[in-house]
Amino acid sequence: MKKGLFISIEGGEACGKSTQVNLLKEYINSLPNKNDFIFVREPGGTSLGEEIRNLLLNYNEDKPLPMTELLLFCAARHQIVEEVIRPALEQGKVVIADRFFDSTIAYQGFARNIMNPEEILKLTQLIIGNVRPEKTFYFKLTPQEAFKRKSNCAPLDRIELEGMDFHERVSQGYDYIANLEPERFIIIDASKSIEEVHTQMINKFKQLI
Ligand code: TMP
């Protein structure tokens, strides 16, 4: 298998991840080899995955049961891995994923406590096979800081609407996986200004590509 590079981007609510992903896209668009990069987002990124995203984040009928929620995230992930990420890596591309399996450890493992993290890692292994991010940018922000920011954000989805306890557990989940795989995690201090966070990220990014 010709090998590309797989990078994921992670963080809790209101950590500025979307802004930073957009700035990274602008930076990559300015590169002469911009066609060597592709961006994907999770959940989503395929036709089926986007439908699942809508069910997960905007479904207004009965709330999905916790296990249903976990399996829907996994289903969307399997689809994007096999339809998009694996083929792109085989072509030697750099794939940048806005969220990947660490989100499931943090949100469904720690915050919802559906399964313990070791079990989620086993399930993940079945879903992604050998398609694992080599590096993960984690935008770290305390839930307290995030909550201050969230009051300025416009409409929140079903998961963003969860309370402070939930988001504290999300943060603990990210700390757990970052401690488990310190060589993969690149921790970015997301409490700084947009420009400072972007600079931190780009400096690290340039060392990877
Ligand atoms: P986004 O706002 O970064 O696009 O993320 C969508 C939401 O889905 C966010 O609240 C985190 C949540 N999520 C999970 O709970 N588990 C997962 O595995 C993924 C990928 C996202």
Side-chain angles (χ1 to χ4, degrees), residues 10-13 17-18 41-43 53 56-57 69-70 73-74 77 98-108 112 157-160 166-167 174:
E10 294 281 353
E13 309 305 326
K17 178 175 63 62
S18 305
R41 73 164 177 182
E42 272 230 64
R53 181 184 180 93
L56 278 165
L57 302 183
E69 178 180 291
L70 169 66
F73 278 114
C74 290
R77 179 159 310 133
D98 180 351
R99 296 195 182 280
F100 202 58
F101 74 83
D102 300 310
S103 289
T104 312
I105 305 276
Y107 285 82
Q108 282 65 50
R112 290 238 193 275
D157 67 41
R158 192 175 58 79
I159 293 176
E160 286 165 338
F166 181 92
H167 292 288
Y174 278 121

Side-chain angles (χ1 to χ4, degrees), residues 9 29 39 64 84 92 94 129-130 133 144:
I9 301 184
N29 266 329
F39 278 86
V84 182
V94 180
N130 61 353
Q144 291 71 18

Side-chain angles (χ1 to χ4, degrees), residues 109-183:
F110 273 75
R112 290 238 193 275
N113 200 10
I114 301 172
M115 277 185 189
N116 68 43
E118 291 81 15
E119 286 170 326
I120 294 202
L121 283 168
K122 273 192 214 152
L123 178 62
T124 296
Q125 195 52 43
L126 290 175
I127 288 156
I128 67 174
N130 61 353
V131 177
R132 292 179 70 86
E134 276 158 62
K135 291 287 172 191
T136 297
F137 286 95
Y138 169 42
F139 292 100
K140 190 174 165 82
L141 187 70
T142 64
Q144 291 71 18
E145 185 65 28
F147 259 69
K148 274 191 235 149
R149 289 187 185 179
K150 256 170 57 154
S151 48
N152 307 322
C153 290
L156 300 176
D157 67 41
R158 192 175 58 79
I159 293 176
E160 286 165 338
L161 285 167
E162 295 284 349
M164 175 73 109
D165 287 1
F166 181 92
H167 292 288
E168 272 172 356
R169 292 195 299 276
V170 167
S171 178
Q172 286 162 14
Y174 278 121
D175 288 343
Y176 164 86
I177 187 94
N179 284 329
L180 203 65
E181 295 188 49
E183 67 301 333

